Amino acid sequence: MRAVLKLIEQLIGKRIQEQRKKNKMTQEQLSEKLSISKNHLSAIERGVYRIQIETLVMLINCFGCTADDLFCDVIDTGYKIRASRLSERLENLPPEEQNRILAVVDTMIENTGR
């Protein structure tokens, strides 16, 4: 059980780091907004420290993201979130690239039944 909790902390920390970088923020800038030390934020991003709920809420509000954005790897319906993100990314590609990628995905899905 302890190993599972550690993995969850690491996955959430990774998503926090991704959101921070997506928002073009340094650890120093974000830690200042959250009123925590840069070292504490670094430990959260690495999954060393568990994030407090009030810090998590401030973080989500700061990023303008949803809890799903941070928990998509650790909740049972996370595949829906990832599928939605993939769909959004595909929409931004030229049609020929979309078709190429979808052909690969179709082939992979067909081969899972074997």
Side-chain angles (χ1 to χ4, degrees), residues 72 77-91:
C72 66
T77 58
Y79 67 91
K80 292 179 184 177
I81 299 160
R82 290 190 299 274
S84 177
R85 285 188 184 142
L86 179 59
S87 178
E88 289 173 8
R89 291 179 69 189
L90 277 171
E91 287 175 4

Side-chain angles (χ1 to χ4, degrees), residues 40-92:
H40 189 90
L41 176 60
S42 175
I44 290 170
E45 288 184 353
R46 289 180 283 123
V48 175
Y49 290 163
R50 185 175 302 152
I51 189 166
Q52 297 289 321
I53 189 71
E54 56 274 4
T55 305
L56 181 63
V57 170
M58 289 188 328
L59 188 100
I60 289 168
N61 288 331
C62 179
F63 289 151
C65 69
T66 67
D68 288 346
D69 290 321
L70 301 180
F71 296 146
C72 66
D73 297 317
V74 296
I75 57 175
D76 291 339
T77 58
Y79 67 91
K80 292 179 184 177
I81 299 160
R82 290 190 299 274
S84 177
R85 285 188 184 142
L86 179 59
S87 178
E88 289 173 8
R89 291 179 69 189
L90 277 171
E91 287 175 4
N92 294 325

